[in-house]
Amino acid sequence: MSRLLTRRSVLTGLGFSAIIGGTAGLAFSPAFRDLILGSGEKLSYQTHRLIGRNALAPEFTEAQMSPDFRTNGNTMPNSSDYQRHMETGFANWQLQVDGLVVSPKAFSLSALQAMPSRTQITRHDCVEGWSAIGKWKGVQLSTLLSQATLLPAARYMVLHCADDFGGESYYESIDLVDALHPQTILAYAMNDAPLTVGHGAPLRLRVERQLGYKQAKYVMRIEVTSTLASIGLGKGGYWEDQIGYDWYAGI
Ligand SMILES: Nc1nc2c(c(=O)[nH]1)N[C@H]1C(S)=C(S)[C@@H](COP(=O)(O)O)O[C@H]1N2
Ligand SMILES: [Mo]
């Protein structure tokens, strides 16, 4: 009996130290450090992805639409290329889709408008402290990506825009989960009218689980990449690189 007890306590003791040892090991592992001591951004990213990859952002009724949806950031790209497209009603404008795809594509505005569309009434939240509910119509990004066919290494979509701030082009990026999300569309219409120049004509991103600055206007090119390191200063977007905004702006 006493022998059994002794053996038991030895076993218990061993188990206990294994737990302590294991915890200490975990505490010093890079994964633990990233999870617990990493930025709030990373926690929010991991939590979001854990809770629901495809959870939908709330959609609203026509009656809930904001009577006034303000513009923000650039409202008139000053590149001569863009100006020329604007003067010709974007008739010769094309969206490029390239990078890590099997078949790089170029889509005219009329080609995009002829594709199956999605319309959604959603709330836009800007970090500067304002929100507005608007109706967006466009083509799902997943539709374009399935036409171009992603290569296995594809992880990010980089949106290159026509505008700049003091010579620095606007660009943004999203991961594959957001790219393939059903509410992620490239919108060419807003509130039942063609997208105005102020709101990003001819085409702007709506990625409804993200804050305002991710909603890239004046999208000219979508580049599929495996990393963000080679884009801009490496943080994935204009505001991320220049001002230190979080790359992951999930809401
Ligand atoms: N190309 C481009 N996209 C952009 C911006 C910009 O300056 N340039 N501003 C961002 C910010 S901070 C917000 S809040 C929204 C504003 O969109 P809106 O002008 O349609 O209201 O666009 C986002 N997308
Ligand atoms: Mo914003």
Side-chain angles (χ1 to χ4, degrees), residues 72-73 124-128 130 211-213 239 245:
N72 203 28
H124 175 105
D125 297 302
C126 172
V127 283
E128 291 166 20
W130 59 274
L211 288 171
Y213 61 90
W239 295 108
Y245 282 6

Coordinates of all heavy atoms in Angstrom, one line a residue, residues 72-73 124-128 130 211-213 239 245, ligand 2:
N72 N -14.2 61.2 -48.4 CA -13.0 61.4 -47.5 C -11.8 61.0 -48.3 O -11.8 60.2 -49.2 CB -13.2 60.5 -46.3 CG -12.3 61.1 -45.1 OD1 -12.1 62.3 -45.1 ND2 -11.9 60.2 -44.2
G73 N -10.6 61.5 -47.8 CA -9.4 61.2 -48.5 C -9.4 61.9 -49.8 O -10.0 63.0 -50.0
H124 N -20.4 52.1 -43.5 CA -19.0 52.4 -43.7 C -18.5 53.1 -42.4 O -19.2 54.1 -41.9 CB -18.9 53.4 -44.9 CG -17.5 53.9 -45.1 ND1 -16.7 53.5 -46.2 CD2 -16.8 54.9 -44.5 CE1 -15.6 54.1 -46.2 NE2 -15.6 55.0 -45.2
D125 N -17.5 52.6 -41.8 CA -16.9 53.2 -40.6 C -15.5 53.7 -40.8 O -14.6 53.0 -41.0 CB -16.9 52.2 -39.4 CG -18.3 51.7 -39.1 OD1 -19.1 52.5 -38.7 OD2 -18.5 50.4 -39.2
C126 N -15.4 55.1 -40.7 CA -14.0 55.7 -40.9 C -13.4 55.8 -39.5 O -14.1 56.2 -38.5 CB -14.2 57.0 -41.5 SG -12.6 57.9 -41.6
V127 N -12.1 55.6 -39.4 CA -11.4 55.7 -38.1 C -11.4 57.2 -37.6 O -11.2 57.4 -36.5 CB -9.9 55.3 -38.2 CG1 -9.7 53.8 -38.2 CG2 -9.2 55.9 -39.4
E128 N -11.7 58.1 -38.5 CA -11.7 59.5 -38.1 C -13.0 59.8 -37.3 O -13.2 60.9 -36.8 CB -11.6 60.4 -39.3 CG -10.2 60.4 -39.9 CD -10.1 61.0 -41.3 OE1 -11.0 61.8 -41.6 OE2 -9.2 60.7 -42.0
W130 N -16.5 58.9 -38.2 CA -17.9 59.1 -38.8 C -18.3 57.8 -39.5 O -17.4 57.0 -39.9 CB -17.9 60.2 -39.8 CG -16.9 60.1 -40.9 CD1 -15.6 60.5 -40.9 CD2 -17.2 59.5 -42.2 NE1 -15.0 60.2 -42.1 CE2 -16.0 59.6 -43.0 CE3 -18.3 58.9 -42.8 CZ2 -15.8 59.1 -44.3 CZ3 -18.2 58.5 -44.1 CH2 -17.0 58.5 -44.8
L211 N -12.5 48.5 -41.8 CA -12.7 49.9 -41.7 C -12.5 50.7 -43.0 O -12.1 50.1 -44.0 CB -11.7 50.5 -40.7 CG -11.9 50.1 -39.2 CD1 -10.7 50.5 -38.3 CD2 -13.2 50.8 -38.7
G212 N -12.9 52.0 -42.9 CA -13.0 52.8 -44.1 C -11.7 52.9 -45.0 O -11.8 52.9 -46.2
Y213 N -10.5 53.0 -44.3 CA -9.3 53.2 -45.2 C -9.0 51.9 -46.0 O -8.2 52.0 -46.9 CB -8.1 53.6 -44.3 CG -7.7 52.7 -43.2 CD1 -6.7 51.7 -43.5 CD2 -8.2 52.8 -42.0 CE1 -6.2 50.9 -42.5 CE2 -7.7 52.0 -40.9 CZ -6.8 51.0 -41.2 OH -6.3 50.2 -40.2
W239 N -1.7 53.9 -45.5 CA -1.8 54.4 -44.2 C -1.0 53.6 -43.2 O -0.4 54.1 -42.2 CB -3.3 54.4 -43.7 CG -4.1 55.4 -44.4 CD1 -5.1 55.0 -45.3 CD2 -4.1 56.8 -44.4 NE1 -5.6 56.2 -45.8 CE2 -5.1 57.3 -45.3 CE3 -3.3 57.7 -43.6 CZ2 -5.3 58.6 -45.5 CZ3 -3.6 59.1 -43.8 CH2 -4.5 59.5 -44.7
Y245 N -1.2 52.9 -39.2 CA -2.5 52.3 -39.0 C -2.3 50.7 -39.0 O -1.4 50.3 -39.7 CB -3.5 52.6 -40.1 CG -4.2 53.9 -40.0 CD1 -3.8 54.9 -39.0 CD2 -5.2 54.3 -40.9 CE1 -4.5 56.1 -39.0 CE2 -5.8 55.5 -40.9 CZ -5.4 56.4 -39.9 OH -6.0 57.6 -39.9
Ligands
MO2 MO -11.3 56.8 -43.3

